[in-house]
Amino acid sequence: MMSIVPSRRPSPVCSLILGALGMLLLISTAPACEVPPPLASVDVPGFYDDPEGYGRAIAPLHAFIDRVNKASDAGDVSCLADLLGQWAHADALMAPLRGYQGYYERSWAGTDFALVLLRIRRAGRPMPAAMPEIVPWLVRIAAATRDADAINHLHNNLVYWAGLNLAAIGTLADRPDLVDAGIARAREGIRDIQPDGTLARELKRGERALHYHNFALIPLVFTAELARARGVDLYAENNGALRRLADLVIRAVIDPNSFSAYLPTPQKLFPWTFTSDLAWLEPYQTHVHDPQLLALMAPRRPFINLRLGGDVTAAWAKPPLAAAAPPPRR
């Protein structure tokens, strides 16, 4: 007759060893952080000149930005170090450009990466180990943006976006000269806001004028938030011009026909105009504390934007949504 050995509970030491082995197994089977090959250049066709060619050419960079943002949203700092560290080591995106669109795309990418890293810093978490390579690379992107004649001569929303690039990277790199250059570009935009809240250059967009009023507001609000940390109140400048532009856009979100008071041309919006491009509402709401805005924002949250570090709601909402609305006790 076979005897049965009574089962015994494993010793505490044995439990620790088994637990450690289990963790190692999980780590070894976890998906690796796949880093796409660094792009030397982002010389793509113009967005309006060749929409299909633009879409094909920009897809690899957008896929990389999306990968960076998702790693950030997941709190995977190690993967961020691999992604941005390897592209920084290769000096990605810094090859000479022939067309104009590449200047915009490189600037937007650098802005996104800087905001991803600033989000980690604001959360008080350890920064990626590759920061000694990442930061100088982003500074090179900022310098190229600052010196880009393809942007500087425009004096429209793209200059304001360049300002956000300089302010975000300058804040990350502790480069006051870059931050000041970014604030100067934001001030140009704030000075452009007229008493009725419109932007004269963006009105010239015709059927896309409303879209570009909203698009111009994004970098102005985010730069204003970065400037506050330096004691600069851009919200107060030009007699509260940012509020006038924001109110114009908010009225148009509620009633798109309201924009006809400024331009009779029927307006065409992109699918993202009043979705991901309303991401500026998150930091703006923390400044104005308008309860009515929350109703406007709620069905659109979370705001995910490839130029602003991914999940803007998670990064900028105060207090965090989970803390503001805890689940009921069971």
Side-chain angles (χ1 to χ4, degrees):
M1 182 176 179
M2 183 180 294
S3 63
I4 300 175
V5 179
S7 61
R8 292 186 301 171
R9 181 175 296 178
S11 70
V13 173
C14 183
S15 296
L16 286 173
I17 293 172
L18 289 173
L21 289 172
M23 288 298 296
L24 287 172
L25 181 61
L26 285 173
I27 292 171
S28 65
T29 58
C33 181
E34 297 181 3
V35 180
L39 298 175
S41 174
V42 62
D43 214 355
V44 298
F47 177 77
Y48 290 111
D49 298 337
D50 180 4
E52 292 185 4
Y54 168 83
R56 289 192 301 270
I58 202 62
L61 178 58
H62 282 180
F64 178 73
I65 294 172
D66 184 60
R67 184 73 185 88
V68 168
N69 292 351
K70 285 179 177 175
S72 171
D73 293 339
D76 193 345
V77 177
S78 176
C79 186
L80 277 176
D82 288 344
L83 291 163
L84 293 176
Q86 290 189 33
W87 277 50
H89 183 75
D91 206 25
L93 311 180
M94 292 305 297
L97 298 169
R98 293 167 296 177
Y100 63 88
Q101 187 74 37
Y103 289 95
Y104 315 156
E105 301 295 340
R106 181 169 61 193
S107 175
W108 287 327
T111 301
D112 183 272
F113 303 152
L115 290 175
V116 159
L117 295 168
L118 286 172
R119 177 181 176 184
I120 297 172
R121 179 184 290 177
R122 284 198 307 271
R125 302 182 60 196
M127 300 297 285
M131 289 298 284
E133 276 200 301
I134 295 170
V135 170
W137 172 56
L138 293 180
V139 168
R140 289 192 293 276
I141 290 177
T145 298
R146 179 196 60 204
D147 301 336
D149 290 337
I151 295 174
N152 292 331
H153 81 280
L154 298 171
H155 301 290
N156 63 8
N157 72 83
L158 290 160
V159 171
Y160 320 155
W161 275 101
L164 177 57
N165 173 276
L166 296 170
I169 294 175
T171 299
L172 179 71
D174 192 20
R175 285 282 302 270
D177 60 317
L178 294 178
V179 178
D180 290 344
I183 291 174
R185 283 160 172 77
R187 280 186 164 132
E188 178 179 345
I190 292 168
R191 287 194 302 269
D192 288 343
I193 300 171
Q194 302 182 95
D196 63 358
T198 60
L199 291 160
R201 289 184 179 86
E202 305 309 336
L203 283 175
K204 294 178 181 178
R205 302 275 189 164
E207 65 185 15
R208 296 292 187 191
L210 175 54
H211 168 81
Y212 280 102
H213 275 74
N214 184 57
F215 192 66
L217 185 55
I218 301 170
L220 295 179
V221 168
F222 279 86
T223 302
E225 290 299 314
L226 294 172
R228 289 173 71 183
R230 295 175 60 82
V232 177
D233 185 5
L234 293 179
Y235 288 103
E237 298 195 2
N238 189 10
N239 298 314
L242 275 178
R243 184 68 177 261
R244 295 198 300 274
L245 177 55
D247 286 347
L248 178 151
V249 172
I250 290 166
R251 286 194 299 271
V253 175
I254 297 169
D255 176 15
N257 291 325
S258 67
F259 196 74
S260 63
Y262 313 104
L263 190 69
T265 306
Q267 294 297 292
K268 289 185 178 180
L269 304 179
F270 292 106
W272 55 86
T273 301
F274 285 164
T275 54
S276 61
D277 275 3
L278 284 176
W280 61 268
L281 283 168
E282 291 291 3
Y284 184 75
Q285 169 62 9
T286 69
H287 178 74
V288 301
H289 306 291
D290 184 349
Q292 294 182 352
L293 281 185
L294 294 176
L296 197 69
M297 296 162 67
R300 295 173 167 86
R301 279 171 156 170
F303 293 101
I304 310 295
N305 195 294
L306 282 176
R307 297 182 177 96
L308 301 170
D311 190 337
V312 177
T313 298
W316 291 87
K318 298 176 183 178
L321 293 183
R329 293 181 181 273
R330 294 187 181 275

